[in-house]
């Protein structure tokens, strides 16, 4: 119920159509149950030789009741559709906004494929269940109660047939639900794996084709799809037993009422029960059994949807690991950075720390280079500066203030990060660049692109800055993509600019031109460059050499050549080794 309450918080402006649905359903059920009672009166009046005018009046009342019931049903359908679709929209919006507030550690808990499944399949299941709940889950129990009450009023002892039939129906439906539910529950996690297979295949299409692994990927997808089909087939076969069970109970009811009722009419000559009452009993029997069958379907659908509701609520209830402080600092004065006794682990259960004993001071405006092998935690180090993660212990300060004291948006506006994996969105080059500054003028776009050495290749396109970029930037090269991302970061006019191996796909000449541009045009911006090439950081004011999550050495190029064996080895491999080749 806690998860259900979480979902219902998103109902908001659609609470009114939800309440109206209940009102219309009550009216529909009341009128629908009243019609067999009126029908029985008409039949008995005709048998008693009533005047045509009397029969006509009763018939008109019955027709009006039927029309009103139909109108209530139609209105209930309209309001239920509005409420369920509105709830789904709000939940999807709330989930998306929640994900936007997640820190990296929160996102690490949910796979991308799982989040996609939760925002599509799970929300659709929740929407269908909600519609069924406010319509059928209200209508069927009310219909059952009203119909049973009227059956005993109209049929007397003849209604005792329901004392036998109803328990049989309920027990049968319980068994169907019990055996069907495990298969339905198993499906959702398998949906995650199916979506993950599609996502990986599409994202890594070039790799798949490069290794000619299309057949393998097709087989992997087919196996995941067949697995889901198998579970659904098993569940649906069990649920399909609803039909035969319903027919058995309905036909038993009809035979019992007709046989016993006819005998009572003949023996008692219509003094205890009449033809009209038998007619009403037949109708009430169908209504009772249909109500029970619909309740069983509700049970199946709600049980299925509860797993979806749980998965949705997990996202909505997830608290962002990184939040704004109560009285945040709203200004970053400069680009100075201090790491003081910093330790960091991605998880409390991690076997070892990603960063250990980090002590570092960077003056505002400095250019800092970071070198290190794969897994040396270079990227982890820089991710602590814009507070993408929080330190496990110690502190990271920007402009003399702990990053945990800043307003998150203020801090991240002052720190531009061009990550190792460059992301370009579908749209024009201008639209992509303005992610850095939505109000940037065309002149500012050009200036940033010239600084990032991107202007010339952009102007080489027929449509220049209005050139459309395909999804994922598939129509530009890796080096062009990197330069566009650098220009986008520069448009923020940051106090700190971080390049995480962001010039790896450009040639050394262009790399040098970009660094020269930084030195000339943004001297007051602190520049942190993670690189694999010594040449990319050789002129830096400070170079850090990292290994195993610690800073093994730091200093200028000349200092490190003399004091750091690791740096000297890297330098010689990239210079002397290159000459020998």
């Amino acid at each position: 119920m806690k998860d259900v309450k979480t979902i219902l918080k998103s109902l908001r402006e659609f609470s009114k159509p939800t309440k109206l649905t209940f009102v219309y359903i009550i009216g529909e059920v009341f009128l629908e149950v009243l019609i067999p009672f009126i029908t029985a009166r008409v039949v008995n009046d005709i048998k008693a030789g009533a005047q045509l005018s009397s029969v006509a009046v009763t018939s008109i009342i019955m027709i009006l009741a039927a029309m009103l019931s139909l109108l209530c049903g139609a209105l209930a359908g309209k309001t239920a559709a509005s409420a369920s679709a509105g709830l789904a929209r709000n939940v999807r919006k709330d989930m998306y906004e929640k994900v936007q507030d997640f820190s990296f550690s929160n996102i690490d808990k949910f796979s991308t494929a799982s989040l996609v499944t939760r925002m599509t399949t799970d929300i659709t299941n929740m929407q269908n269940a909600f519609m069924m709940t406010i319509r059928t889950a209200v209508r069927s129990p009310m219909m059952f109660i009203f119909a049973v009450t009227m059956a005993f009023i109209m049929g007397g002892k003849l209604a005792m047939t329901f004392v036998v039939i109803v328990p049989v129906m309920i027990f049968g439906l319980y068994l169907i639900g019990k055996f069907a539910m495990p298969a339905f529950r198993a499906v959702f996690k398998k949906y995650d794996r199916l979506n993950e297979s599609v996502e990986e295949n599409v994202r890594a299409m070039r790799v798949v084709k490069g290794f000619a692994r299309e057949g393998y990927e097709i087989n992997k997808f087919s196996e995941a799809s067949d697995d889901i089909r198998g579970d659904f087939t098993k569940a649906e076969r069990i649920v399909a037993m609803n039909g035969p069970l319903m027919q058995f109970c309905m036909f038993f009811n009809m035979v019992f009422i007709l046989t016993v009722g006819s005998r009572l009419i003949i023996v008692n000559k219509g003094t205890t029960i009449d033809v009209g009452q038998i007619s009403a009993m037949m109708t009430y029997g169908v209504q009772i059994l249909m109500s029970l069958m619909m309740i069983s379907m509700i049970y199946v659908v709600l049980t299925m949807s509860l797993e979806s509701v749980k998965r949705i609520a997990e996202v909505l209830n997830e608290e962002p690991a990184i939040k704004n402080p109560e009285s945040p600092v709203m200004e970053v004065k400069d680009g100075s950075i201090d790491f003081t006794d910093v330790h960091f682990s991605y998880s409390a259960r991690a076997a070892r720390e990603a960063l250990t004993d980090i002590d570092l001071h960077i003056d505002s405006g400095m250019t800092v280079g970071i070198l290190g092998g794969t897994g040396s935690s270079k990227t982890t180090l820089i991710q602590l500066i814009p507070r993408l993660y929080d330190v496990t212990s110690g502190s990271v300060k920007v402009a003399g203030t702990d990053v945990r004291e800043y307003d998150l948006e203020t801090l991240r506006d002052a720190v531009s990060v061009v990550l190792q994996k460059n992301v370009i969105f579908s749209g024009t080059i201008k639209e992509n660049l303005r992610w850095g500054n939505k109000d940037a003028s065309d002149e500012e776009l050009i200036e940033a692109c010239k600084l990032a050495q991107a202007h010339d290749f952009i102007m080489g396109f027929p449509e220049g800055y209005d050139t459309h970029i395909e999804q994922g930037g598939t129509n530009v090269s890796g080096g062009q993509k990197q330069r566009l991302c650098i220009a986008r970061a520069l448009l923020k006019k940051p106090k700190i600019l971080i390049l995480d191996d962001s010039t790896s796909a450009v040639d050394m000449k262009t790399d040098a031109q970009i660094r020269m541009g930084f030195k000339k045009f943004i001297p007051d911006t602190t520049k942190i460059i993670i690189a694999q090439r010594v040449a990319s950081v050789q002129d830096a004011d400070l170079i850090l050499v990292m290994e195993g999550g610690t800073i093994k050495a730091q200093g200028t190029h000349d200092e490190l050549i003399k004091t750091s064996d690791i740096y000297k080895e890297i330098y010689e491999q990239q210079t002397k080794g290159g000459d020998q080749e």
Side-chain angles (χ1 to χ4, degrees):
M1 287 304 297
K2 183 180 177 181
D3 292 338
V4 172
K5 289 178 181 178
T6 299
I7 299 294
L8 291 180
K9 289 178 183 177
S10 298
L11 197 57
R12 295 193 290 272
E13 70 270 27
F14 296 99
S15 59
K16 182 178 179 181
T18 302
K19 294 172 183 176
L20 284 174
T21 301
F22 292 141
V23 174
Y24 293 140
I25 289 295
I26 292 171
E28 180 190 16
V29 171
F30 176 76
L31 292 166
E32 198 168 325
V33 172
L34 187 63
I35 289 171
F37 178 78
I38 300 172
T39 304
R41 286 191 58 186
V42 171
V43 172
N44 290 335
D45 287 347
I46 293 171
K47 183 183 174 184
Q51 296 294 319
L52 183 61
S53 58
S54 176
V55 173
V57 170
T58 308
S59 299
I60 290 171
I61 294 172
M62 186 171 65
I63 292 170
L64 288 174
M67 292 176 65
L68 284 173
S69 177
L70 182 63
L71 178 62
C72 287
L75 290 172
K78 181 181 178 181
T79 54
S82 175
S84 59
L87 175 63
R89 188 202 72 174
N90 285 353
V91 169
R92 194 174 287 113
K93 178 175 178 288
D94 293 345
M95 284 182 69
Y96 191 78
E97 289 179 351
K98 191 76 172 184
V99 170
Q100 297 302 307
D101 289 334
F102 281 175
S103 66
F104 280 14
S105 58
N106 293 114
I107 293 173
D108 290 343
K109 291 176 64 175
F110 304 97
S111 70
T112 305
S114 179
L115 286 172
V116 170
T117 304
R118 291 167 201 246
M119 295 187 72
T120 52
T121 304
D122 286 327
I123 286 183
T124 299
N125 287 338
M126 179 273 300
Q127 177 181 346
N128 293 336
F130 182 74
M131 177 181 278
M132 181 169 279
T133 298
I134 61 176
R135 286 201 69 188
T136 314
V138 174
R139 186 182 191 283
S140 296
M142 286 184 60
M143 177 66 77
F144 176 78
I145 293 169
F146 285 1
V148 167
T149 302
M150 291 301 294
F152 275 94
I153 291 172
M154 295 290 294
K157 293 181 180 180
L158 197 59
M160 293 302 292
T161 178
F162 299 119
V163 175
V164 177
I165 290 298
V166 169
V168 171
M169 185 84 171
I170 291 174
F171 182 70
L173 296 176
Y174 166 76
L175 291 178
I176 290 171
K178 180 180 178 181
F179 288 108
M181 285 313 101
F184 279 126
R185 288 195 186 102
V187 165
F188 297 103
K189 290 183 180 178
K190 293 179 181 179
Y191 265 128
D192 288 349
R193 290 198 290 272
L194 186 71
N195 285 339
E196 186 176 356
S197 176
V198 174
E199 180 198 2
E200 285 183 346
N201 188 271
V202 172
R203 181 177 293 179
M205 184 63 70
R206 286 179 173 80
V207 178
V208 173
K209 291 188 178 296
F211 284 87
R213 298 283 281 177
E214 293 93 339
Y216 171 79
E217 289 294 329
I218 290 170
N219 289 335
K220 186 171 77 170
F221 179 84
S222 297
E223 287 175 6
S225 184
D226 285 341
D227 206 9
I228 292 174
R229 177 195 57 80
D231 280 343
F232 262 122
T233 301
K234 178 182 176 181
E236 294 292 350
R237 282 175 178 167
I238 298 171
V239 172
M241 295 301 295
N242 269 345
L245 178 64
M246 172 71 181
Q247 288 183 329
F248 168 78
C249 293
M250 189 178 295
F251 291 141
F252 178 87
N253 182 63
M254 290 174 61
V255 170
F256 182 87
I257 290 174
L258 287 173
T259 303
V260 177
S262 299
R263 178 177 175 79
L264 287 173
I265 291 174
I266 293 169
V267 172
N268 299 319
K269 297 181 181 180
T271 57
T272 58
I273 194 168
D274 214 332
V275 176
Q277 290 168 286
I278 289 180
S279 172
M281 285 293 294
M282 296 283 288
T283 304
Y284 288 134
V286 172
Q287 289 179 342
I288 291 168
L289 295 175
M290 284 297 293
S291 298
L292 285 174
M293 191 176 79
M294 290 309 299
I295 290 171
S296 76
M297 292 304 298
I298 293 165
Y299 171 69
V300 171
V301 172
L302 289 184
T303 306
M304 281 179 61
S305 67
L306 282 176
E307 187 66 25
S308 291
V309 167
K310 178 182 176 182
R311 285 158 54 85
I312 293 168
E314 282 177 351
V315 178
L316 293 175
N317 290 329
E318 178 75 9
E319 286 298 323
I322 295 176
K323 296 180 180 179
N324 264 346
E326 290 185 6
S327 301
V329 177
M330 301 301 293
E331 181 187 1
V332 179
K333 294 179 180 179
D334 58 50
S336 63
I337 305 168
D338 290 281
F339 285 76
T340 305
D341 193 25
V342 168
H343 292 250
F344 173 74
S345 295
Y346 282 102
S347 168
R349 299 185 300 274
R352 68 178 186 86
E353 292 181 324
L355 292 171
T356 305
D357 296 324
I358 303 296
D359 286 286
L360 175 65
H361 173 72
I362 300 172
D363 288 327
S364 183
M366 284 180 68
T367 299
V368 179
I370 305 179
L371 290 174
T374 302
S376 59
S377 298
K378 303 183 298 295
T379 299
T380 303
L381 179 74
I382 60 97
Q383 286 180 338
L384 299 179
I385 298 170
R387 209 184 166 203
L388 299 179
Y389 290 97
D390 271 339
V391 298
T392 304
S393 65
S395 68
V396 178
K397 295 180 179 179
V398 172
T401 301
D402 195 307
V403 293
R404 290 169 289 196
E405 296 177 17
Y406 280 111
D407 171 70
L408 278 172
E409 188 173 344
T410 299
L411 175 65
R412 290 172 184 173
D413 270 344
V415 182
S416 275
V417 183
V418 183
L419 293 171
Q420 196 169 10
K421 294 181 180 179
N422 298 286
V423 177
I424 296 290
F425 299 93
S426 57
T428 65
I429 289 176
K430 278 185 180 179
E431 289 169 346
N432 267 281
L433 292 172
R434 286 197 170 108
W435 271 72
N437 179 2
K438 66 180 189 306
D439 299 318
S441 66
D442 289 350
E443 290 74 19
E444 288 175 315
L445 297 183
I446 293 170
E447 182 184 3
C449 287
K450 284 181 177 178
L451 186 55
Q453 303 300 311
H455 178 70
D456 289 342
F457 83 75
I458 292 173
M459 295 311 295
F461 293 129
E463 297 180 39
Y465 282 82
D466 291 316
T467 299
H468 184 80
I469 301 294
E470 301 296 335
Q471 186 176 13
T474 55
N475 59 333
V476 291
S477 70
Q480 290 172 337
K481 195 186 299 184
Q482 285 186 336
R483 282 175 277 172
L484 287 173
C485 289
I486 292 171
R488 183 173 64 190
L490 289 170
L491 281 166
K492 288 176 69 175
K493 298 179 180 178
K495 297 285 197 308
I496 300 170
L497 175 65
I498 300 172
L499 304 181
D500 185 359
D501 204 13
S502 304
T503 57
S504 58
V506 302
D507 59 83
M508 295 186 69
K509 180 182 177 182
T510 304
D511 185 12
Q513 289 173 334
I514 291 171
R515 286 184 283 111
M516 284 287 289
F518 289 167
K519 192 172 184 179
K520 182 178 180 181
F521 293 102
I522 51 172
D524 296 330
T525 297
T526 303
K527 299 161 282 291
I528 301 176
I529 303 170
I530 295 177
Q532 300 296 330
R533 298 187 297 230
V534 172
S536 297
V537 298
Q538 189 171 342
D539 297 328
D541 301 311
L542 177 67
I543 301 172
L544 309 179
V545 179
M546 296 193 67
E547 185 179 60
T550 62
I551 298 175
K552 289 294 184 181
Q554 56 179 299
T556 63
H557 170 73
D558 293 336
E559 291 170 347
L560 291 173
I561 285 291
K562 297 175 183 177
T563 60
S564 173
D565 292 336
I566 298 174
Y567 184 82
K568 185 177 179 181
E569 183 182 351
I570 296 172
Y571 176 72
E572 289 178 349
Q573 284 177 347
Q574 293 185 9
T575 54
K576 295 179 181 179
D579 295 338
Q580 289 172 359
E581 290 178 358

